[in-house]
Amino acid sequence: MPRSIIIFGSINLDLVARVPRLPSPGETLSGSSFSTVPGGKGANQAVGVAKLGGSSRMIGRVGEDAFGAELLKSLRDSGVQTDLITVDRASSGVALIAVDDRGENQIIVIPGANGNVDHSDVARLQSVLTHSSILLLQLEIPLAIVKSAASVAAAIGATIILDPAPAPAHFPADLYERVDILTPNAVETAQLVGFPIQSESDIDRAAAVLQHKGAKAIIIKLGAQGAFCATETDRFFIPAFSVNAIDTVAAGDAFNAGLAVALSEGLELRDAIVWGSAAGALSTTKSGVQSSLSDRATVEAFLNRQKP
């Protein structure tokens, strides 16, 4: 049987306004369109897992408001189990996004209920974790609670995949040793190790630094350059798939979802990274966030087309 995948993290609603140009301070502009888009890295990964056929269960918080109801419905409609999501008295987490005709943006994030995720949510997590579970974590909820969730999962023997985004100014040293697979992109890697990632030697050196800090395996997501993996016994590079990319915003979450589903079904790490890379590449061929995440049939057909 495939292993269960539990996603512990953020649930947001993005409020997106299209404008001809970004406003100056104090200026009022007329926009061309407005849309509400479900988001949050935790929810994105949960939807990605569900679309790929994985057993996806989300733990987090939404507000006791219309946005919260919309977010819960969106998750359920995507096949995510939502029974352990708490409805909080705070407002739902939102991101206010202005996007201009050149694709530049201004973003204001208000954590809302995401900022209230606490040890009671960790207790709910503990009640459903088993040694065969895969736990997906990100850093859009309080860092202390991420640490607590990782500690609980490590004690049970679950596999912990941490997407260190957004990378904090001070990453807790004791969190590294609880992580089975750390999946930063190049920017986040540079923030974690303190030097820029500009060459293959930088990538290898950064992975060694992160392993020294305690992470068991490192996957550095390099976008169109592919992915580099370092484990205790191996170091290898997986080239990127060639696609016509138009929007990369959901690629990292799609990668982590694909990686988790592949591992849950017993694939070796190298093959699971290929799966994650395919899911990430396909997400860049569509606009949007959760709407750009591909289903299993699409990913499998894409992978079959790559075979000689």
Side-chain angles (χ1 to χ4, degrees):
M1 291 290 292
R3 300 162 67 185
S4 66
I5 302 172
I6 301 171
I7 305 89
F8 189 85
S10 58
I11 309 168
N12 283 343
L13 192 68
D14 296 343
L15 312 179
V16 184
R18 295 280 176 174
V19 292
R21 58 179 176 80
L22 299 178
S24 302
E27 181 182 16
T28 299
L29 287 179
S30 292
S32 59
S33 68
F34 173 78
S35 59
T36 58
V37 183
K41 292 192 72 63
N44 295 344
Q45 292 179 15
V47 169
V49 167
K51 284 189 172 184
L52 292 172
S55 172
S56 178
R57 195 172 202 174
M58 179 85 208
I59 300 177
R61 296 197 181 204
V62 298
E64 194 175 37
D65 52 25
F67 289 167
E70 181 178 346
L71 289 165
L72 284 174
K73 182 179 185 303
S74 176
L75 288 168
R76 289 175 186 139
D77 288 348
S78 297
V80 178
Q81 299 174 60
T82 62
D83 57 305
L84 296 181
I85 294 176
T86 298
V87 178
D88 194 283
R89 288 188 174 184
S91 62
S92 295
V94 298
L96 311 177
I97 307 172
V99 184
D100 70 14
D101 289 342
R102 299 177 301 168
E104 299 292 331
N105 61 60
Q106 291 176 342
I107 303 175
I108 301 172
V109 177
I110 303 169
N114 293 310
N116 292 342
V117 175
D118 62 18
H119 291 287
S120 66
D121 300 288
V122 177
R124 276 186 281 277
L125 170 67
Q126 188 170 17
S127 72
V128 294
L129 275 173
T130 70
H131 71 278
S132 64
S133 299
I134 295 175
L135 175 63
L136 288 175
L137 295 171
Q138 323 79 33
L139 300 180
E140 291 183 337
I141 58 174
L143 189 53
I145 301 305
V146 175
K147 286 179 58 179
S148 180
S151 295
V152 164
I156 290 172
T159 299
I160 302 166
I161 302 175
L162 172 62
D163 185 351
H170 302 288
F171 192 93
D174 57 349
L175 181 54
Y176 284 108
E177 62 192 27
R178 299 184 177 103
V179 174
D180 294 291
I181 306 174
L182 187 71
T183 65
N185 62 24
V187 172
E188 292 150 3
T189 299
Q191 292 171 317
L192 293 174
V193 300
F195 55 83
I197 306 301
Q198 299 174 334
S199 66
E200 290 185 15
S201 62
D202 292 333
I203 295 168
D204 189 76
R205 177 184 166 207
V209 169
L210 293 172
Q211 284 183 294
H212 182 73
K213 291 176 181 289
K216 300 175 184 66
I218 316 296
I219 301 171
I220 300 177
K221 297 177 285 192
L222 300 166
Q225 283 69 54
F228 177 81
C229 180
T231 71
E232 295 175 344
T233 60
D234 201 5
R235 306 176 90 74
F236 57 89
F237 177 79
I238 300 292
F241 292 101
S242 179
V243 295
N244 180 26
I246 61 173
D247 185 346
T248 63
V249 67
D253 294 330
F255 177 96
N256 277 48
L259 175 74
V261 169
L263 290 174
S264 77
E265 296 179 3
L267 270 68
E268 296 296 328
L269 183 57
R270 184 186 292 265
D271 294 329
I273 294 172
V274 172
W275 246 77
S277 297
L282 285 168
S283 77
T284 71
T285 65
K286 303 176 186 176
S287 295
V289 184
Q290 293 177 13
S291 61
S292 75
L293 301 172
S294 296
D295 61 23
R296 186 183 189 95
T298 301
V299 173
E300 288 181 335
F302 178 77
L303 285 169
N304 285 334
R305 289 196 299 271
Q306 310 306 311
K307 296 177 180 178

